Amino acid sequence: MPWWGWIIVAIIMLAALAVGLVYAGIHAVRAAHGVADTGKEIQNYLNAMQKSAPSNETHEKPLFTQPLSTAARRYSLAQTEVERRRITRHNRHAERWSIWRHNRVPFTGNVPAGSNQAVSQSSNQAFDGIMAETETLQATRLEKVPIEIHRRSIR
């Protein structure tokens, strides 16, 4: 190869090296901007976690330091909510099965106008009856719990 051929190859090699460096530099700057934006977001989240939320609520004492009636009342309310969800789920299932029983075609969604209304009315009546029964049970539970159990003062 003549001497001028080597000069052309060297110039092409240096040009390719320069283009590669420019390409890498552009992508490095883009990546630095992305990292900086992510860092700013992380910093905002960390700053927000450092701030205490203004709260007007008073912190409630631990349950074991309160009278037993408080725990009994909370338990009763929680069980009432559990029972209400169970009844609601049962009524939903009963209504759907009733619709399927009347239509004989499951999963179609075609509901005769009268059957759906009758099912929801009977479900509502059953729900009201069970809720009244649950409220009576809750009141009975609260009446049976002695209030004067742990009256000692904590000093």
Side-chain angles (χ1 to χ4, degrees):
M1 185 171 359
W3 63 270
W4 51 268
W6 288 109
I7 293 178
I8 293 175
V9 169
I11 292 174
I12 292 174
M13 182 191 72
L14 291 175
L17 183 65
V19 169
L21 289 175
V22 169
Y23 179 83
I26 290 172
H27 281 62
V29 170
R30 286 183 186 167
H33 286 297
V35 169
D37 292 341
T38 304
K40 286 178 187 175
E41 287 184 34
I42 291 172
Q43 187 63 36
N44 290 339
Y45 287 128
L46 291 175
N47 287 338
M49 288 187 340
Q50 294 295 326
K51 296 178 185 175
S52 62
S55 159
N56 294 336
E57 314 176 349
T58 59
H59 294 288
E60 195 169 336
K61 295 178 184 177
L63 189 60
F64 63 86
T65 64
Q66 297 180 8
L68 191 56
S69 62
T70 304
R73 187 180 72 250
R74 286 184 184 175
Y75 178 79
S76 177
L77 292 174
Q79 289 303 313
T80 303
E81 182 64 21
V82 167
E83 188 66 17
R84 185 191 63 75
R85 286 195 309 263
R86 187 193 66 77
I87 291 167
T88 303
R89 184 179 65 234
H90 172 75
N91 288 339
R92 256 194 337 265
H93 292 171
E95 184 177 351
R96 178 53 56 190
W97 279 100
S98 175
I99 290 169
W100 289 345
R101 190 178 322 123
H102 291 316
N103 287 342
R104 302 282 185 200
V105 180
F107 303 107
T108 60
N110 299 329
V111 180
S115 67
N116 191 17
Q117 239 175 3
V119 169
S120 64
Q121 286 175 357
S122 66
S123 296
N124 287 339
Q125 289 170 355
F127 181 74
D128 291 341
I130 292 174
M131 283 308 291
E133 198 175 300
T134 305
E135 289 170 2
T136 305
L137 179 64
Q138 178 186 359
T140 307
R141 284 182 186 165
L142 288 177
E143 288 172 5
K144 290 183 181 179
V145 173
I147 295 176
E148 299 292 326
I149 290 182
H150 289 288
R151 268 309 216 196
R152 288 183 265 160
S153 62
I154 300 174
R155 293 181 187 183

